[in-house]
Amino acid sequence: MLRRNSENTQQNIPNVVDYHQMPEMIDKRDRATLFKLRLSQAMAERSLSQSGLARAVAADRSTISALLAPGTRLPGAQLAADCAAALGVSCDWLL
């Protein structure tokens, strides 16, 4: 049986926090506002209407309208990915 000195073991394990900084946490309301802004910006840059985006992502136009309306509604993962793909942007940027 191999015994390890806990001091030596700790020295051999890299401190993950030193190598990778966690992204700053964003409040859901702020994230929803940023999402709406970026979604509408990407739609405008591509001259894509709500109906056009809805067709592109196989969603109801009212769903896209709700995403752009004031409030804290955020899309599910699949809808966010579909919107990002249809608009030619990354999900990370959109969210």
Side-chain angles (χ1 to χ4, degrees):
M1 182 183 204
L2 180 63
R3 281 187 107 175
R4 293 186 179 189
N5 181 337
S6 64
E7 224 175 87
N8 290 339
T9 303
Q10 288 178 350
Q11 290 173 355
N12 294 331
I13 299 173
N15 188 347
V16 177
V17 176
D18 292 342
Y19 298 114
H20 178 70
Q21 293 295 324
M22 294 295 290
E24 185 177 324
M25 295 299 291
I26 299 175
D27 183 81
K28 181 180 177 183
R29 292 169 296 221
D30 295 335
R31 185 173 302 279
T33 300
L34 182 61
F35 172 80
K36 290 171 197 333
L37 176 69
R38 289 183 172 174
L39 182 64
S40 61
Q41 177 186 351
M43 289 171 63
E45 287 175 1
R46 285 148 190 85
S47 301
L48 195 59
S49 66
Q50 290 181 19
S51 296
L53 181 59
R55 279 190 298 276
V57 300
D60 196 60
R61 190 201 55 79
S62 64
T63 300
I64 304 301
S65 180
L67 292 176
L68 293 167
T72 58
R73 182 164 172 1
L74 285 168
Q78 186 62 53
L79 183 56
D82 292 345
C83 287
L87 295 167
V89 298
S90 71
C91 273
D92 288 340
W93 179 80
L94 198 55
L95 290 170

